[in-house]
């Protein structure tokens, strides 16, 4: 335990076969319930801590079935199938109220083979040239990230004007700094404010319904990032009758694509 | 039952609480085991047929845990959580050998609210100006789709030359024609040949590990497509140590985005 708020937030205790207990973290509280990224990180951490885990995370899908109540929860991480080099996980978080999260994950033992350079990072100013968005927020989880906004920042006026696109680019890392790992990268994939706020310049209630993360880097590559920044980009493709999508890319400072992530998000009129 | 091979392939029989039985279909056979798209369609069909289903498919994630053996299987579709307007499903396909597929889905009752036009379809020639790729294949499922290749067709020579990009654009529909629905749209999301074949001009063994579909259209919009074509586009962002990703978009002929889909795919050297 490093003493970092993130480590405290994702800490889990073994509670029987495939079961762990954890608790929501005030340090990562959202407007209602916890930050979705921290819940996703708690789910992948159950896989990381499982004594039968094979390999490293390759993909993760988490579905936000209900708002988590503040307090304790149980995570189930069940290895549904173990192959020679891949392992398939079925995930669930339960509280007194019933199932609050469902999910699946795949872990894999990677081999070092032909790997061309990935899609290039957009041409953006280096991190030291971009000022930090420094405002203390009443939404606690926002205070856990250092964000430097390159493009598509939160609208300054909520005038309801339709915007051309919904793309955001930020340099981002944990604050205080913490060395990157699979759990923190998972949480970072959910760091963007809702695309509809940018597209519409209108503040509307939203909630992520399902999020998927594909990991394109192994543990060694994440360790090499250390406390460096990620260039994080997100944009939507469709807003339709109450749900919009988001696609995101996470590069390290050298422009290597560490993860891609997708989500579908509920929005209100 | 329409007598269409697709309907026969996705047919399921109730087999107890949350359980259905089905079978692999020779008409949709792949090189080894069934076409992944048909397996995904069978899984969403279990949700469609479930007597307790609320709303229409919003998202689906399926994980290919093991090659399906030819023959019978059991699908479990369990409504893990039912809310006022969304329902969360945990999915699994089992054969004698154990779990062969895992997955989750979300169904939702949509409301007609603010829905701007989605990301525009690329500028492509109209379907009637693009010739059909007409070759009878020994890979049966390929014979179930009419494909008109606009860009990024299968390499004509496997010379191992690195290509700039991995983008494919095709006009596509079922053959013989069949009116579009959630199951056939799901299957169509997997219709692309592997991105690595295009990127590398090299024939290498591959296999989808996980696929996610986000539905941006409701039943009425899919019915309106009828037997029309879809403009289907796919490309990869990263190829790293044995796994690459694919992002896909599916538009109707009028340029409305019906679905977006993502997958992560195993590749061999």
């Amino acid at each position: 335990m490093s003493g970092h708020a993130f480590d405290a937030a994702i800490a889990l205790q073994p509670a029987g076969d495939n079961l762990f207990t954890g608790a929501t973290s005030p340090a990562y509280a959202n407007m209602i319930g916890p930050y979705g990224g921290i819940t996703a990180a708690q789910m992948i951490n159950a896989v990381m801590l499982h004594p039968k885990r094979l390999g490293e995370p390759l993909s993760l899908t988490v579905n936000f079935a209900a708002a988590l109540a503040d307090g304790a929860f149980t995570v189930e991480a069940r290895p549904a199938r173990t192959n020679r080099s891949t392992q398939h996980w079925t995930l669930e978080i339960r509280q007194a109220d019933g199932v609050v999260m469902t999910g699946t994950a795949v872990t894999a033992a990677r081999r070092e083979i032909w790997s061309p350079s990935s899609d290039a990072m957009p041409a953006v100013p280096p991190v030291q040239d971009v000022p930090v968005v420094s405002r203390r927020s009443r939404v606690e989880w926002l205070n856990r990230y250092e964000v430097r906004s390159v493009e598509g920042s939160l609208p300054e006026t909520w005038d309801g004007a339709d915007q051309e696109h919904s793309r955001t680019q930020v340099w981002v890392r944990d604050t205080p700094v913490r060395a990157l790992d699979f759990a923190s990268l998972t949480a970072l994939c959910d760091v963007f404010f809702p695309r509809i706020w940018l597209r519409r310049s209108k503040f509307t209630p939203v909630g992520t319904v399902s999020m998927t993360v594909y990991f394109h880097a192994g543990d060694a590559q994440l360790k090499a990032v250390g406390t460096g920044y990620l260039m994080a980009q997100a944009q939507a493709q469709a807003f339709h009758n109450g749900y919009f999508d988001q696609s995101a890319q996470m590069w390290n400072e050298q422009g290597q694509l560490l993860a891609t992530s997708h989500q579908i998000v509920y929005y209100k009129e």
Side-chain angles (χ1 to χ4, degrees), chain A residues 6 10 12 36-46 60 182-184 186-187:
Chain A
F6 186 84
I10 66 166
L12 299 173
I38 204 75
T39 307
Q42 287 159 339
M43 290 180 91
I44 199 67
N45 201 34
L60 170 71
F182 285 106
S184 66
T186 297

Side-chain angles (χ1 to χ4, degrees), chain A residues 239-253:
Chain A
F239 301 81
H240 186 72
N241 285 347
Y243 297 92
F244 69 86
D245 73 324
Q246 174 182 289
S247 284
Q249 294 90 23
M250 315 295 283
W251 290 272
N252 65 11
E253 289 181 64

Side-chain angles (χ1 to χ4, degrees), chain A residues 37-255:
Chain A
I38 204 75
T39 307
Q42 287 159 339
M43 290 180 91
I44 199 67
N45 201 34
V47 174
M48 297 307 290
L49 294 173
H50 199 290
K52 293 192 178 150
R53 175 171 56 91
L54 167 80
E56 298 175 350
L58 175 67
S59 72
L60 170 71
T61 294
V62 297
N63 305 289
F64 298 83
L68 268 75
D70 289 338
F73 57 75
T74 299
V75 194
E76 179 173 2
R78 178 171 62 90
R81 175 103 191 186
T82 301
N83 299 314
R84 202 159 49 91
S85 65
T86 59
Q87 192 172 39
H88 286 257
W89 299 85
T90 300
L91 309 174
E92 203 163 271
I93 295 186
R94 294 184 287 267
Q95 288 187 315
D97 181 31
V99 173
V100 291
M101 299 286 299
T102 65
T104 58
V106 182
T107 52
R110 287 177 181 270
R111 301 145 297 126
E112 298 213 348
I113 63 170
W114 178 84
S115 301
S117 51
S118 53
D119 268 20
M121 186 165 83
V124 293
V127 61
Q128 65 273 16
D129 292 356
V130 182
V132 178
V133 178
S134 62
R135 46 174 170 239
R136 178 86 197 163
S137 176
R138 282 171 305 165
V139 178
E140 264 309 315
W141 77 268
L142 290 170
N143 302 318
R144 305 286 88 74
Y145 291 101
E146 177 192 331
V147 175
R148 295 168 184 247
S149 180
V150 173
E151 181 185 278
S153 58
L154 201 63
E156 301 202 352
T157 54
W158 299 98
D159 58 5
D162 259 23
Q163 302 299 315
E164 271 287 302
H165 68 79
S166 61
R167 188 171 65 236
T168 287
Q169 295 171 339
V170 293
W171 286 111
V172 62
R173 64 177 178 179
D174 292 285
T175 182
V177 297
R178 178 182 176 280
L180 191 69
D181 57 19
F182 285 106
S184 66
L185 179 55
T186 297
L188 279 158
C189 285
D190 194 35
V191 80
F192 308 94
F193 67 86
R195 301 299 85 205
I196 196 169
W197 295 357
L198 186 56
R199 178 70 172 71
R200 260 197 120 174
S201 307
K202 184 175 171 182
F203 187 88
T204 51
V206 298
T208 298
V209 176
S210 182
M211 176 169 94
T212 288
V213 180
Y214 296 148
F215 300 95
H216 301 298
D219 187 55
Q221 211 178 334
L222 300 190
K223 277 200 171 68
V225 172
T227 59
Y229 293 83
L230 301 186
M231 167 44 56
Q233 174 175 275
Q235 66 190 110
Q237 300 179 90
F239 301 81
H240 186 72
N241 285 347
Y243 297 92
F244 69 86
D245 73 324
Q246 174 182 289
S247 284
Q249 294 90 23
M250 315 295 283
W251 290 272
N252 65 11
E253 289 181 64
Q254 289 71 45

